[in-house]
Amino acid sequence: MPDRGNPSQASAPGGAIHPRRVLARLRQVMAGPGSAQDKLDRIVQIIAADLVAEVCSLYVLRPGEILELFATEGLRREAVRNTRLRVGEGIVGMVAAQASALNLADAAAHPAFAYRPETGEEAFASMLGVPVLRSGRVVGVLAVQNRARRQYSDDEVETLETVAMVLAELVAAGGLLPPEEIGTVEASAAMPRKFEGAALHGGLAIAPIIAHGVTEAPRDLVADDPQAELDRLETAVAGMHRALDAMLADQGLAKVGGESREVLETFRLIAADQGWIGRIAEAIRGGLIAEAAVERVRAETRARMRQITDAYIRERLADLEDLANRLLLQLAGRAGPEVLPPRFILAARRIGPAELIEYHARGLAGLVLEEGSPFTHAVIVARALDVPVVGGCRDLLQSLAPGDSAILDADEGRLLLHPEDEVRQIYERAAEHRRAERAAWADLRDLPARTRDGVPVTLLLNAGLLLDLEQLRITGADGIGLFRTEIGFMARGGFPDMETETAIYRRVADACGEKPVLFRTLDVGGDKLLPGISADSEENPALGWRSLRIGLDRPAVLRRQLRALLHATAGRTLRVMFPMVATVAELREARAQLDRERAQAEREGRAPERVLVGAMLEVPSLLWQLPALLKSVDFLSVGSNDLTQFIFAADRGNVALAERYDFLSAPMLNLLAELVSACNAAGVPLSLCGEAGARPLEALALLGIGFRAISMPPTGIFPVKAMLMTLDLAPFADFLRSARLSDSGGASLRGRIRAYARDHGIRV
Ligand code: PEP
Ligand code: MG
């Protein structure tokens, strides 16, 4: 039996809850005299009384993911500091694990219920637990219980969540608990630390690190005058809209253009979302000051984000995070972020595209994210701006202080905090080498791409955003060998209207002028999600309903895109290729759709002069249909990313397999060599796109087996050109032929090819 239960309150309450009253009383306690434990005891009493609950308990997260009972009204006193639950254990542990409230009329019936005799809690049927969240992290759980079975009202849930937020600040500020009892382990300030993450865009940055979106939490969270806070919110929202509009109108951003601009416009729409602003206003009416209300809604958003696996929805929620920062700055009367060093690495949990562009204008040298995927809006923009990005560096923000020295090695997906002097010197030398190399490479721009023994090679770009088009001029590439049409759609979060889509393709074609561009039709599915079109969840998405398969099953989608492509290239040559073709029959079906659209475009006088149709060779089954395939296409392009994963049955994104199967092995090179022979015999132009071509050693091997056109990410053009200018192709081709044909184990030939290059002065 509990020793402090209050049977007179056993019946379900029905009275109105006043979060403002609760908060005002809490504030009195906090400001008053007494020890930390006394205050905590008073606070749980007040909450219990106001929610007419027999029990109110606060659990605090301790090191090692242990939740410890720190104060209770209604459970046995002896349980305080004795009752401990692991995160995930019991109802309280579930609330912490899921970072969301649990409202249970019959707690004991819940599968997670864990009975703790020392608490005497079997006497209580119903339970409401809410996470105590700070900066999106659970730091404790606040729970109320009643004897009677009852469902707590939305108002009660809301009140308890608001109170939990205030408690979070108290716990973190150390006002109620000695600092050593708070469950965080602070890293020693100057200790070198390494964070491993995902390489989202390569490069190297050595600079002080700045944390984005970490604002000082206001100490006094309770509003004296809610109407005044609502007015402040309204002014701040208006100011934020003005600032966003000004940014969109800013001529300085004109060069951003295209999809990135559309990303920003989508973002502006999210900013006007009344649901989000309404939730903040609601929290103010509940008794919080405007800043605390923004933080509270942001904490909920972050907590929800952790539960959501759908990449698209996560991206939208991330945009709200960006907007919350803007709103806080407006509330603080500041127009932009603090004073920044001239060059800096930015650390963020997540960041929006608009903020990224602003930081870029102020000296952004690198970006490191606690979350973030290759298709996060900001990452797409960062790639186009050539800012190195590492994602997935967990717990980074809590470990750094503004201005800490850091090295971002985005090629290896690594951040070094407080690097030792020797490490720093090594990286500085590497950076210097890189700068010198880049400067020298720029001189290669206008030199012909030809091997030392005079074999011309076509070097093409892989692109996906209008922002990428500038690379044509920078690198002097011969054209675009792969335009991934889905990337722009993913950046904007959906399909544009037909007119906009046509205009985008026209700008690509214009930018290329006389140079060719190979448009690839939508390649969504797998790891590339688009709302309304991708399958919800599949066991094996890479082998699933994706790419051309979707286009053939939803011909309207495919035909619409083909129409936009035809109109965009009216009067010129359209080169279009279909991804993930598995059978020649599929290709014919796709071609038939193209022919229908072309006939219509001709009737309307909006057709290209010439249409060349290609297939991507990514699915191995095509290799056994070559005679028919080569009769059905005008060109072929090997998608080496997918082809390699399907040949070796090895997920292209799985780091654990990255070293096991090598593109530079006899099975891969032999099949590609046979493909080259077949294409040459049939007179069908062949190229290879995919990331492999950007690496000089791989490009060397491709030339050795007969490829004469390679499409690659822009960063590959100069290194590959530098390599081929040092290459005598004929003897290398002989060497490679005998190496691959004499191999019997299928293992990597990388070492042998590298040794040949070294011995013959080939720059790889
Ligand atoms: C490929 O698979 O090699 C390719 C170029 O397509 P994506 O990387 O877009 O799947
Ligand atoms: Mg592919």
Side-chain angles (χ1 to χ4, degrees):
M1 283 290 288
D3 60 354
R4 291 158 61 101
N6 182 351
S8 67
Q9 293 179 347
S11 60
I17 296 297
H18 299 292
R20 265 175 52 67
R21 197 180 65 206
V22 187
L23 290 180
R25 291 175 64 187
L26 292 189
R27 188 160 58 159
Q28 271 174 6
V29 174
M30 273 131 55
S35 71
Q37 188 65 47
D38 287 346
K39 289 181 181 179
L40 213 49
D41 291 344
R42 268 303 289 146
I43 286 173
V44 288
Q45 272 173 14
I46 291 171
I47 301 169
D50 269 69
L51 270 81
V52 199
E54 284 112 8
V55 174
C56 175
S57 311
L58 174 70
Y59 295 80
V60 174
L61 188 66
R62 312 297 310 277
E65 302 214 322
I66 299 293
L67 289 153
E68 187 174 308
L69 181 66
F70 260 61
T72 184
E73 165 71 10
L75 296 183
R76 288 193 185 128
R77 271 284 185 186
E78 313 83 270
V80 171
R81 307 289 174 110
N82 281 325
T83 292
R84 293 190 186 92
L85 293 153
R86 286 190 312 281
V87 170
E89 182 189 3
I91 308 289
V92 167
M94 284 295 282
V95 171
Q98 296 177 351
S100 61
L102 272 178
N103 182 353
L104 305 169
D106 185 3
H110 192 281
F113 183 78
Y115 175 55
R116 287 301 163 90
E118 74 275 13
T119 63
E121 69 183 331
E122 80 271 35
F124 302 98
S126 46
M127 179 168 188
L128 166 63
V130 301
V132 180
L133 294 167
R134 189 165 192 275
S135 303
R137 291 178 195 292
V138 176
V139 296
V141 171
L142 184 62
V144 291
Q145 293 171 270
N146 280 81
R147 274 176 215 289
R149 284 188 183 206
R150 56 175 299 235
Q151 198 77 34
Y152 296 88
S153 70
D154 288 350
D155 277 355
E156 287 169 319
V157 177
E158 176 93 348
T159 300
L160 202 63
E161 284 178 339
T162 304
V163 171
M165 183 184 166
V166 176
L167 281 179
E169 293 308 321
L170 287 174
V171 170
L176 283 171
L177 301 169
E180 67 274 13
E181 298 200 359
I182 300 170
T184 53
V185 192
E186 293 296 333
S188 156
M191 283 283 285
R193 288 193 66 183
K194 186 164 82 176
F195 292 84
E196 299 283 353
L200 298 181
H201 183 64
L204 175 63
I206 306 171
I209 190 162
I210 299 296
H212 161 73
V214 179
T215 39
E216 268 299 301
R219 292 204 81 87
D220 193 357
L221 306 177
V222 186
D224 290 324
D225 179 356
Q227 188 51 51
E229 294 302 310
L230 287 170
D231 293 346
R232 287 183 65 225
L233 175 68
E234 198 180 318
T235 310
V237 168
M240 179 181 78
H241 285 170
R242 271 196 308 277
L244 281 171
D245 288 343
M247 191 165 75
L248 279 167
D250 183 358
Q251 290 313 301
L253 284 181
K255 65 177 177 358
V256 168
E259 287 87 348
S260 294
R261 184 171 196 85
E262 284 155 22
V263 168
L264 296 177
E265 275 159 9
T266 312
F267 182 74
R268 171 70 175 76
L269 287 180
I270 298 172
D273 173 28
Q274 286 305 316
W276 175 63
I277 296 163
R279 281 196 292 141
I280 297 172
E282 203 44 54
I284 292 177
R285 285 190 208 100
L288 294 175
I289 63 164
E291 285 89 343
V294 174
E295 280 294 0
R296 157 131 198 231
V297 171
R298 186 205 335 234
E300 284 168 9
T301 309
R302 281 180 184 160
R304 271 196 287 155
M305 211 144 80
R306 287 171 195 274
Q307 315 291 317
I308 289 171
T309 49
D310 182 301
Y312 174 72
I313 296 176
R314 281 175 68 103
E315 297 317 329
R316 300 292 73 68
L317 290 175
D319 288 345
L320 285 179
E321 174 104 354
D322 180 343
L323 291 168
N325 283 332
R326 281 164 191 278
L327 210 44
L328 286 172
L329 289 171
Q330 290 284 341
L331 284 167
R334 281 181 278 145
E338 323 290 273
V339 178
L340 296 168
R343 282 184 83 254
F344 57 91
I345 296 168
L346 189 70
R349 179 162 294 117
R350 304 200 125 210
I351 186 172
E355 283 172 315
L356 186 87
I357 289 171
E358 280 174 355
Y359 278 116
H360 184 251
R362 302 177 69 185
L364 178 68
L367 176 66
V368 51
L369 299 169
E370 285 199 341
E371 300 179 11
S373 74
F375 301 113
T376 304
H377 279 164
V379 174
I380 292 173
V381 174
R383 205 175 293 132
L385 296 169
D386 199 19
V387 171
V389 190
V390 172
C393 281
R394 299 236 162 255
D395 299 328
L396 170 64
L397 286 175
Q398 68 185 34
S399 311
L400 55 87
D404 278 351
S405 65
I407 296 173
L408 185 70
D409 180 352
D411 293 332
E412 298 295 332
R414 183 175 297 150
L415 177 89
L416 305 174
L417 204 56
H418 317 296
E420 286 131 333
D421 282 349
E422 307 83 81
V423 174
R424 197 186 166 85
Q425 280 160 15
I426 293 169
Y427 272 100
E428 265 164 5
R429 278 199 295 277
E432 184 49 49
H433 180 68
R434 225 175 246 248
R435 271 193 296 275
E437 208 170 42
R438 279 195 173 207
W441 279 342
D443 296 341
L444 299 180
R445 186 189 172 282
D446 297 318
L447 297 177
R450 188 174 297 147
T451 65
R452 195 160 66 178
D453 53 352
V455 179
V457 179
T458 304
L459 299 182
L460 301 158
L461 290 182
N462 293 346
L465 288 171
L466 294 179
L467 221 62
D468 295 331
L469 298 177
E470 209 183 334
Q471 293 296 333
L472 270 176
R473 186 185 55 76
I474 295 171
T475 60
D478 296 308
I480 295 180
L482 168 66
F483 190 84
R484 292 179 163 108
T485 54
E486 69 280 357
I487 300 287
F489 299 166
M490 288 191 316
R492 55 179 295 145
F495 290 104
D497 55 48
M498 260 286 286
E499 221 168 280
T500 311
E501 188 176 348
T502 309
I504 292 171
Y505 300 148
R506 191 174 297 121
R507 282 185 62 183
V508 178
D510 287 349
C512 287
E514 294 301 304
K515 295 178 174 179
V517 44
L518 275 55
F519 287 101
R520 175 176 76 181
T521 59
L522 274 184
D523 185 20
V524 292
D527 60 350
K528 291 182 266 189
L529 304 174
L530 251 186
I533 188 164
S534 309
D536 286 342
S537 70
E538 294 180 294
E539 192 110 321
N540 279 310
L543 306 177
W545 194 60
R546 56 175 286 204
S547 205
L548 183 61
R549 299 163 186 189
I550 296 178
L552 295 177
D553 291 349
R554 300 244 188 116
V557 173
L558 179 61
R559 286 228 307 277
R560 193 192 120 114
Q561 183 176 34
L562 293 171
R563 200 176 316 144
L565 286 167
L566 288 159
H567 292 174
T569 52
R572 308 188 235 198
T573 300
L574 168 64
R575 294 175 176 83
V576 59
M577 63 183 176
F578 299 103
M580 285 289 291
V581 180
T583 64
V584 173
E586 284 176 343
L587 180 69
R588 289 190 186 129
E589 215 180 314
R591 253 197 119 120
Q593 304 287 5
L594 176 64
D595 290 342
R596 277 177 59 176
E597 286 302 326
R598 187 181 180 186
Q600 177 63 26
E602 270 164 5
R603 281 193 291 278
E604 294 168 7
R606 305 174 73 185
E609 216 164 66
R610 209 155 66 113
V611 178
L612 299 175
V613 180
M616 285 191 72
L617 203 147
E618 304 181 278
V619 183
S621 58
L622 272 193
L623 291 165
W624 286 272
Q625 304 167 72
L626 281 182
L629 178 69
L630 292 169
K631 282 196 197 98
S632 312
V633 291
D634 300 306
F635 62 89
L636 271 185
S637 180
V638 175
S640 56
N641 303 335
D642 276 316
L643 183 62
T644 311
Q645 85 165 339
F646 297 136
I647 286 290
F648 290 114
D651 180 350
R652 65 195 256 185
N654 190 330
V655 187
L657 300 174
E659 306 275 299
R660 177 170 288 274
Y661 304 104
D662 197 350
F663 180 80
L664 294 183
S665 61
M668 203 66 218
L669 296 177
N670 288 341
L671 78 86
L672 289 177
E674 283 170 33
L675 179 67
V676 171
S677 306
C679 287
N680 287 347
V684 171
L686 172 69
S687 60
L688 178 138
C689 53
E691 315 307 303
R695 294 186 284 269
L697 204 64
E698 274 83 340
L700 170 65
L702 288 170
L703 297 179
I705 55 176
F707 277 85
R708 295 293 175 263
I710 309 176
S711 189
M712 63 191 78
T715 45
I717 297 280
F718 289 141
V720 168
K721 202 171 195 180
M723 176 278 293
L724 61 90
M725 290 171 72
T726 56
L727 167 69
D728 285 321
L729 185 53
F732 172 71
D734 289 342
F735 154 79
L736 188 59
R737 186 177 308 108
S738 67
R740 61 186 174 77
L741 294 180
S742 61
D743 175 79
S744 62
S748 176
L749 299 176
R750 186 171 294 270
R752 291 184 65 188
I753 300 172
R754 193 187 294 285
Y756 180 99
R758 190 188 54 228
D759 295 347
H760 293 79
I762 303 167
R763 206 169 146 183
V764 288

